[in-house]
């Protein structure tokens, strides 16, 4: 099964596709949408109580957001879905639907780690 890499070129986030690169959006927009250039690993008290066997030794570690997004790979299905989303930013929003979908996956990876 093919996996497609994420990379940054000229301050734009791209995802590889079978046909070349697909622009996701400006790097600054993606970094701002996740809350900044660094992500601190934290666990809610409820998580610790409900899952006492969970390894939380990484709590407090700071992750570089650009490093994390650069480490992400994507399935062909995700890339096709990403490509189907528009890149124009709606008036009532701050990022495009395509960048928003990507940011959602990035946040999931920041919260749960890259598998």
């Amino acid at each position: 099964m093919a996996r497609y890499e994420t990379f940054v070129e000229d301050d734009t986030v791209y995802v590889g596709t079978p046909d070349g690169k697909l622009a996701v959006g400006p790097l600054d927009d993606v970094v701002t949408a996740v809350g900044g250039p660094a992500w601190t690993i934290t666990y809610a008290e409820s998580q610790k109580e409900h899952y006492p066997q969970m390894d939380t030794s990484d709590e407090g570690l700071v992750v570089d957001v650009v490093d994390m997004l650069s480490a992400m790979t994507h399935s062909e299905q995700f890339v096709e879905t990403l490509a189907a989303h528009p890149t124009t930013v709606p008036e009532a929003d701050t990022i495009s639907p395509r960048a928003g979908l990507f940011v959602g996956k990035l946040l999931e990876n920041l919260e749960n780690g890259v598998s």
Side-chain angles (χ1 to χ4, degrees):
M1 178 186 306
R3 300 289 297 176
Y4 300 96
E5 295 183 350
T6 305
F7 55 97
V8 177
E9 201 173 271
D10 297 324
D11 295 321
T12 299
V13 177
Y14 292 93
V15 170
T17 74
D19 301 319
K21 60 186 178 182
L22 175 69
V24 172
L27 177 61
D28 286 345
D29 292 355
V30 171
V31 169
T32 299
V34 299
W39 180 271
T40 303
I41 298 173
T42 59
Y43 296 93
E45 287 304 317
S46 61
Q47 287 176 303
K48 294 176 188 178
E49 290 173 14
H50 284 76
Y51 306 101
Q53 74 285 0
M54 180 173 57
D55 180 9
T56 59
S57 61
D58 58 353
E59 187 165 32
L61 260 159
V62 178
V63 177
D64 183 280
V65 170
V66 176
D67 286 349
M68 178 62 90
L69 76 84
S70 296
M72 292 170 54
T73 62
H74 312 280
S75 68
E76 188 169 350
Q77 181 179 2
F78 180 79
V79 171
E80 288 173 1
T81 303
L82 197 64
H85 281 68
T87 57
T88 54
V89 179
E91 280 187 40
D93 214 337
T94 57
I95 62 173
S96 72
R98 183 179 295 172
L101 179 62
F102 181 86
V103 166
K105 186 173 183 191
L106 175 57
L107 283 169
E108 182 179 325
N109 287 337
L110 286 165
E111 291 174 354
N112 302 310
V114 175
S115 56

